[in-house]
Amino acid sequence: MTDELTVVRAGFAPIKGTRHLAHDRVMLDAQGPVGDRGFALVSVDPEDPARGRVLRTVQNPLLVAVRAEVTGDRLEVELPGGETVSAEPAATGERITCDYWGRDVELELVDGPHAELFSSWLDRPVRLARARRGDVVFAGPVSLVTTASLHDLARHVDRDAVDPARFRPTLVVETDEPYAEDTWLGREIRVGEATLRIGVPIPRCAVIDIRPETGERDVRLLKTLATHRPLNRAGEPAFGVFAEVVVPGAVGG
């Protein structure tokens, strides 16, 4: 029997590392949410232009304050102060091999005003690249956190609420018991039109301490989680679970 859960938020970021935005409707296929991390920012190796590195959010926290949305063929990027560019990324035919958390991914560099805006915001030269589905996704294609666990974490840090965008989840689902998702390994759940199979817990890093609106670290969620949540071998606390898509379909948040 497949259980059905209520989705209260569904979202993704079209450029890896930028603000995780909620969407009224997200389509899930075998590779996760359609439109998720279709682009990435890369730092090109000056000594070898054919190689580079995908920017990591934890090392570039200002990225999370940038809003990015795709409408049709146009990619719109907005900085916190309101400066905005909107254009269709132009294919260059250039391909670059980039390191992404210790593995090589091949990306296609694109032209447009976006790279200049990001370079100014981050105070370092970067290029915008198009990524194949799943290439700049860490571990599972879908990530899921629960309302009860978010409420429990808010209680631990003496806050009314914790913004789920800090955890960048594909889905936030409604639950009554904190961390009940820890027991869901292998379970199939229905969310909207889609069916998911729950996987392993998600290890967390310092990105969750970053305030999405500003890119500044403002609360020690990671340290708090480490006091009462299971840790992996790297000392990272678990919060939320990965999942794979068994039956594709649309999900509303």
Side-chain angles (χ1 to χ4, degrees), residues 89-95 108-112 127-128:
T92 65
E94 301 174 78
R95 305 200 73 83
E108 179 192 2
L109 294 174
V110 296
D111 279 340
R127 294 286 304 273
L128 182 66

Side-chain angles (χ1 to χ4, degrees), residues 17-31:
T18 56
R19 180 87 63 83
H20 193 275
L21 299 178
H23 294 270
D24 292 335
R25 181 179 173 89
V26 172
M27 179 61 69
L28 300 180
D29 65 15
Q31 294 173 299

